[in-house]
Amino acid sequence: MAFLRQCSTTLPSTDPIAQFCHDCQHATPSAQPTLRFGRWQLFRYRQQPYVWQPPTTIFPTHTLTPPESIELGYGRLAWHSQLGRGIAAAVAAKGLTLRPRQAGESITIAGIGRRPLKKLFQEAGVPLAWRDVWPVLSQGQDIVALPGIAIAAPYQAGAEEIGHWPQWDMTPADSV
């Protein structure tokens, strides 16, 4: 309960918290009990509790060139330069668009093939509550990367090339 006090001056009464705890104990492992209080949301995903402040609006698209970072209030895009990993420098130099994902999108991953973003989120352990606000990086109609998770095969840096790995952090600016 102490971490909830850090989130909000308006805490839920003990009854909703007790109900949330009860729901977590008695729900199936795949269930995702949720408690909303003020602007905050407490939920369970894969047996782990998460607290976050869902955005009130989906972010607009942003054009950027790596290693340009961006803060969106509920998350931050940062870059790591790595040999043979990430977005190829030539691709990055043309600029990228950071935008909301759309239902049904997929990308081709080297050595794996075409994968729906939904499956990549599941494999990466991204909570369902975060998936609608997790951005994608694109050029034109093509998805270049799902930050922190995957780079589309045609846009990957070569083995001997420094690439730009996008990392998405869901920590809000006024995090707990």
Side-chain angles (χ1 to χ4, degrees), residues 107-115 120 123 150-154 156:
I107 63 174
T108 301
I109 301 173
I112 296 175
R114 195 129 188 99
R115 301 286 295 189
L120 293 173
E123 291 166 3
I151 308 295
Q156 280 188 324

Side-chain angles (χ1 to χ4, degrees), residues 66-67 78-89 148-151 155-167:
W79 298 89
H80 304 284
S81 296
Q82 296 180 316
L83 182 65
R85 187 166 187 244
I87 300 169
I149 299 174
I151 308 295
Y155 303 100
Q156 280 188 324
E160 300 300 318
E161 177 184 9
I162 295 291
H164 300 286
W165 179 259
Q167 186 62 45

Side-chain angles (χ1 to χ4, degrees), residues 87-105:
I87 300 169
V91 172
K94 294 178 185 175
L96 299 166
T97 301
L98 184 75
R99 64 167 178 81
R101 78 176 186 102
Q102 299 168 9
E105 290 183 309

